Amino acid sequence: MRAVRYHEHGGPNVLQVDEIDDQDPGQGEVRIDVEAAGVNPVDTYFRTGEYPVDSLPMISGSDVAGVVDAVGEGVEEFAVGDRVFATGLGNLGRQGTYAEAVIAPVDALAELPEAVSFSEGAAMSLVGVTAWQAFVYHAGLEPGEACLVQSGSGGVGHVAVQLADAMGARVLTTASETHHDHLRDLGADAVFDYRRDDLEEAVADVAAPDVILETITNEYFGMDARIAATGGRIVGIGNTDSEAAVPMSASKPKDLRFQMMTMYNTPDIGEALSRLAYLAETGQVVPEVARTYDLDEAAEAQRAVLEGSFLGKLVLTP
Ligand SMILES: NC(=O)c1ccc[n+]([C@@H]2O[C@H](COP(=O)([O-])OP(=O)(O)OC[C@H]3O[C@@H](n4cnc5c(N)ncnc54)[C@H](OP(=O)(O)O)[C@@H]3O)[C@@H](O)[C@H]2O)c1
């Protein structure tokens, strides 16, 4: 089978398409005939070595959607021919998903409804589970609360906007101006250009957010703490400076809760994916596929995920 691997850490050019042997699924695993693989910023962090992997060469990619074509011992939940999607692959102990076939443990996958395309499934898995963990597990977002989603046009952001809307929240979000109308269509009640000088005042004029999903935590934590409602919950999923300080003076008087998180710690990824599958099937949370690439364009896709401005997700289709 063909697989996009890196034999050493480095820039996008270390990605190469290799012809490798198919693997058989082990105990509690299935093999997926891949129809689509999502492209995420985290794929680039494993590629550069910023995040650890067990060994090299490594297949890149975390998200996958496709059809089960073999099951390992003890697998009763899934059968050959099932449409499935999965995430959390391509890191410690697991090869990735930019390939024609992928081995996945059953607790990292869920059935993909007929009404949801393979590209949509691959586009939704990692970002959907991230938004799910942030709102449902960490923040306990409630109907009628105000929720600020930073970077609403991003992979996580555009799904988070829809999930917060589906949960009955009043949704505020930030994005480049060009994506504002689209984000209103997805359920945002107010959209702000993150470049404006008066961003903090503009958001605060509309609502004091009860929940904030933060993508660049070091840059925005001060603003978030100042504008959050008393009892607010700030969930940070990304940062560009891990040494940045938490502003105590803005947080303490409001009893703010601050949570950094990683999707990889989700206790039951398959369960979260099942809930997301229902939301996608019923049209409540539908990921947008901005562009698809062939396997041999993986380097271009990984460049674009860090540098481009598009609404939604990039997907590889082998
Ligand atoms: N902790 C976790 O489990 C987890 C999971 C998934 C992602 N993440 C992290 O979360 C971050 C976002 O991931 P993603 O997949 O959504 O990335 P993405 O699809 O590449 O989206 C990036 C977004 O950032 C926006 N942006 C760029 N500069 C900005 C600024 N100065 N202020 C506010 N927004 C800005 C872009 O907006 P425009 O295009 O509109 O300009 C774009 O929407 C990344 O750092 C990623 O590593 C963490």
Side-chain angles (χ1 to χ4, degrees):
M1 69 152 177
R2 293 164 75 232
V4 178
R5 301 199 295 182
Y6 46 100
H7 293 244
E8 58 182 331
H9 292 297
N13 289 342
V14 299
L15 296 175
Q16 64 182 66
V17 179
D18 291 332
E19 189 67 43
I20 60 174
D21 290 339
D22 268 348
Q23 303 291 308
D24 290 325
Q27 174 96 24
E29 295 176 336
V30 302
R31 188 174 63 213
I32 302 169
D33 184 8
V34 178
E35 295 283 350
V39 179
N40 290 284
V42 73
D43 303 345
T44 73
Y45 313 153
F46 288 117
R47 188 204 67 222
T48 59
E50 187 185 338
Y51 286 8
V53 297
D54 275 339
S55 60
L56 296 174
M58 184 78 186
I59 302 174
S60 202
S62 317
D63 288 335
V64 65
V67 177
V68 173
D69 79 345
V71 298
E73 265 183 54
V75 173
E76 290 171 359
E77 305 89 331
F78 298 94
V80 171
D82 284 351
R83 302 174 92 246
V84 293
F85 67 136
T87 192
L89 306 173
N91 62 96
L92 294 175
R94 287 277 160 206
Q95 286 288 333
T97 60
Y98 296 3
E100 290 174 332
V102 165
I103 305 289
V106 289
D107 58 5
L109 67 149
E111 277 199 38
L112 186 68
E114 288 289 343
V116 186
S117 73
F118 290 113
S119 288
E120 288 171 335
M124 180 160 69
S125 32
L126 186 143
V127 296
V129 174
T130 303
W132 182 274
Q133 277 299 94
F135 291 154
V136 178
Y137 185 71
H138 288 304
L141 178 64
E142 294 181 4
E145 286 194 317
C147 176
L148 172 64
V149 176
Q150 190 78 257
S151 313
S153 54
V156 178
H158 87 293
V159 163
V161 163
Q162 297 178 71
L163 180 60
D165 183 46
M167 292 172 77
R170 179 179 182 191
V171 185
L172 290 63
T173 191
T174 65
S176 287
E177 188 82 40
T178 177
H179 304 306
H180 286 197
D181 288 345
H182 199 151
L183 283 164
R184 286 191 195 91
D185 291 343
L186 294 180
D189 298 292
V191 191
F192 309 87
D193 191 332
Y194 57 76
R195 293 179 185 83
R196 58 191 283 179
D197 293 336
D198 64 344
L199 177 64
E200 182 169 333
E201 295 74 20
V203 176
D205 270 354
V206 174
D210 301 287
V211 170
I212 299 176
L213 177 64
E214 187 50 75
T215 53
I216 313 179
T217 311
N218 52 296
E219 195 171 319
Y220 290 107
F221 188 83
M223 174 185 104
D224 294 344
R226 287 188 293 274
I227 64 174
T230 297
R233 290 87 74 201
I234 300 169
V235 183
I237 62 165
N239 57 278
T240 51
D241 173 7
S242 46
E243 302 304 319
V246 171
M248 302 287 180
S249 59
S251 311
K252 187 172 167 227
K254 292 199 271 188
D255 280 16
L256 297 184
R257 265 201 284 147
F258 173 51
Q259 175 84 46
M260 288 300 289
M261 63 155 274
T262 169
M263 190 282 319
Y264 290 97
N265 287 336
T266 303
D268 189 347
I269 285 177
E271 178 59 24
L273 288 176
S274 292
R275 308 276 187 98
L276 290 160
Y278 169 75
L279 293 172
E281 186 179 21
T282 52
Q284 298 179 74
V285 178
V286 183
E288 304 266 333
V289 178
R291 187 170 166 197
T292 58
Y293 296 82
D294 295 329
L295 281 188
D296 56 14
E297 297 174 311
E300 193 188 325
Q302 287 201 353
R303 268 188 213 100
V305 80
L306 293 187
E307 293 162 13
S309 178
F310 49 87
L311 192 143
K313 292 284 299 176
L314 307 178
V315 168
L316 296 182
T317 50

